[in-house]
Amino acid sequence: MSEAVGHVVIVGAGHAGGTAAALLRQYGYPGPITLLGEEPIPPYQRPPLSKAWLKGEANAEDLALKPLEFYADHDIDFRANTTAERLERAAKKVVLSDGSELTYDSLILATGARAIALPIAGADLDGVLFLRTAADAETLKARVGPGKRLAVVGGGYIGLEVAASGRALGAEVVVLEREPRLLARVACEALSDFFKGYHEVKGVAFELGCSVTAFEGEGGKIAGVRLADGRVIPCDAVVVGVGAQPNDEIARDAGLECARGVVVDLEGRTSDPAVFAIGDVAHRPLPLYDRMFRLESVPNALEQAKQAASAIAGRPAPAGEVPWFWSDQYDLKLQIAGLPFDADRILLRGDPASAKFAVFHLKGDQVQAVEAVNAPPEFMMGKQLIGRRQPVNVDKLADPAVSMKEVAA
Ligand code: FAD
């Protein structure tokens, strides 16, 4: 059967998988589509889990990508609570957790990533939490409130968003970070300093450069986090936010080429032409930077869903996009475009003290990435400059009195 009418099986009903199913129908794909999801609910957005939803500003319906009826209405066979256990590529077959099998003509792996656990004593205590799924978020929400002591292991985006939401809910929050600065893997030093200062003003405590060696419990419940220097930080709950790893096991077991995730091309196609991989699980080309990378972001999930759905529906490949990401903490909107690969200098535009500024990462006179705090024009125009590979006048860029429109002209 040709790709344009065959059975499409999508493994993983998250942001990427749910979007791919909807796009296939939007593109007029007429063949059968089966969407398999391990979780009990239809595809939903994860970003609010650490932000609006955790603070009680959004409800479960607000999270859903589409209402449940959408799938039946569009002849998409969505199956909740269904895990794909194994892939048999020679027979083009997926074996499910209930022992049944599904044959496919095209398979999309959209299995996402999972939170990394810490292999230390006490990791199984009640109150040692993660934040990846809506169920995780429910558990966390029930533990955070006025007077509760929340420890957050990991000063990355999720850790800091949880810290901000925790404060909004009246909890005492301490963030424990192994590196000497926050956001060390993902942002520049100026941003780390800024976010640390902002959180401190809001009442968050930090332990930087510390190593967590154990979780201490009382009666099976978390009571504190032990650090390498012997101190124990008391807490009622701890959120472990030390990164995510791709759910690429079924691809590896099936012999698909994998690196840090499943290796794909610009159509989202793996080393097997009948199998695609999209979203957090994919190790994808970044033509703008001439390298392969695994991205964990909603815009990436959407872009790759478009790539795979276009290839399967026989449409032209969509135009390449500049990678981007956002994070909301308190009244701060951080927007990041591009990746700072090969940048040889950093340029600050605006004043961090005003909580409205941007950091540009330049390679010569080209913008590689921009990190913008409450600065939408810098983000938007910066993103365009990155996409166009357009040289900039660095003096103008450094001067906030010169509009970004003029900089980009
Ligand atoms: P997921 O959305 O994780 O979906 C994968 C799905 O596949 C899951 O439901 C999983 O259970 C299922 N699955 C896995 N294996 C199987 C199997 N074998 N069989 C069946 N189903 C399976 N990104 C941003 O851009 N901005 C943000 O502000 C932001 N905030 C975030 C906050 C939180 C708390 C989290 C957790 C993530 C955040 N992200 C953010 C990242 C973003 O949500 C992810 O990049 C995005 O969800 C990736 O989509 P995905 O479909 O690849 O993976």
Side-chain angles (χ1 to χ4, degrees):
M1 214 182 283
S2 89
E3 240 178 28
V5 289
H7 184 196
V8 180
V9 174
I10 304 173
V11 178
H15 221 123
T19 304
L23 282 177
L24 279 165
R25 287 294 183 242
Q26 189 185 317
Y27 294 166
Y29 187 77
I33 300 173
T34 306
L35 176 60
L36 306 172
E38 200 168 55
E39 294 184 64
I41 52 175
Y44 60 93
Q45 310 169 59
R46 290 176 207 278
L49 297 181
S50 48
K51 312 176 182 81
W53 190 88
L54 189 57
K55 287 186 284 177
E57 293 165 2
N59 60 32
E61 286 88 68
D62 295 331
L63 295 185
L65 287 191
K66 305 273 185 200
L68 182 60
E69 318 80 78
F70 171 88
Y71 301 95
D73 290 351
H74 290 79
D75 206 11
I76 294 167
D77 178 11
F78 164 59
R79 302 190 195 175
N81 297 311
T82 306
T83 305
E85 297 274 345
R86 200 170 70 246
L87 168 58
E88 293 183 10
R89 290 198 290 128
K92 290 196 167 178
K93 213 161 70 178
V94 180
V95 181
L96 308 185
S97 41
D98 62 4
S100 65
E101 297 176 350
L102 270 180
T103 53
Y104 63 83
D105 295 282
S106 302
L107 179 75
I108 302 180
L109 295 173
T111 48
R114 61 182 178 274
I116 294 174
L118 289 176
I120 57 175
D124 55 354
L125 285 168
D126 180 28
V128 176
L129 310 174
F130 298 91
L131 184 51
R132 180 76 203 179
T133 65
D136 293 340
E138 288 276 1
T139 310
L140 174 60
K141 200 175 187 175
R143 304 266 181 156
V144 185
K148 295 280 181 199
R149 294 161 307 171
L150 177 68
V152 179
V153 182
Y157 290 120
I158 290 186
L160 292 182
E161 288 178 359
V162 168
S165 300
R167 287 300 297 145
L169 292 169
E172 284 175 31
V173 183
V174 56
V175 175
L176 312 168
E177 168 58 53
R178 186 185 57 186
E179 301 297 327
R181 67 179 178 94
L182 300 173
L183 302 169
R185 274 186 314 130
V186 288
C188 71
E189 221 163 320
L191 227 66
S192 305
D193 293 344
F194 170 76
F195 275 99
K196 180 164 178 281
Y198 210 86
H199 275 269
E200 280 172 341
V201 168
K202 300 286 183 185
V204 176
F206 290 96
E207 291 283 344
L208 301 183
C210 71
S211 176
V212 171
T213 55
F215 296 124
E216 308 267 329
E218 274 167 25
K221 273 188 159 179
I222 184 84
V225 182
R226 180 171 290 277
L227 304 182
D229 62 11
R231 281 179 301 153
V232 175
I233 311 286
C235 65
D236 302 301
V238 58
V239 176
V240 180
V242 296
Q245 67 186 89
N247 293 321
D248 59 5
E249 287 78 5
I250 56 172
R252 284 180 188 275
D253 293 346
L256 290 169
E257 189 189 345
C258 291
R260 292 195 189 96
V262 189
V263 173
V264 297
D265 64 14
L266 281 174
E267 291 188 328
R269 225 183 270 268
T270 68
S271 52
D272 177 339
V275 182
F276 297 76
I278 59 175
D280 283 11
V281 76
H283 188 68
R284 55 159 293 176
L286 291 178
L288 272 175
Y289 300 96
D290 201 18
R291 71 180 70 201
M292 301 286 293
F293 206 67
R294 190 174 73 79
L295 296 169
E296 288 175 11
S297 72
V298 165
N300 172 64
L302 300 180
E303 183 188 12
Q304 286 200 295
K306 252 185 256 169
Q307 292 173 347
S310 300
I312 293 171
R315 287 166 60 106
E321 293 175 21
V322 176
W324 68 278
F325 182 82
W326 79 93
S327 174
D328 300 328
Q329 297 164 40
Y330 311 107
D331 52 352
L332 302 174
K333 181 148 208 81
L334 169 66
Q335 293 167 297
I336 299 179
L339 294 152
F341 296 129
D342 308 324
D344 47 40
R345 70 174 146 157
I346 280 178
L347 185 151
L348 180 66
R349 180 179 159 96
D351 180 8
S354 68
K356 188 171 159 39
F357 66 102
V359 179
F360 286 84
H361 297 254
L362 296 159
K363 180 182 173 191
D365 57 3
Q366 273 185 359
V367 179
Q368 297 291 89
V370 56
E371 297 162 324
V373 175
N374 292 339
E378 277 71 8
F379 165 71
M380 283 184 296
M381 300 311 283
K383 188 160 167 266
Q384 284 185 22
L385 290 169
I386 296 166
R388 290 195 222 125
R389 282 269 159 264
Q390 183 185 326
V392 282
N393 179 318
V394 176
D395 293 332
K396 283 186 179 176
L397 184 63
D399 182 357
V402 179
S403 77
M404 279 306 293
K405 249 193 178 152
E406 197 181 327
V407 173

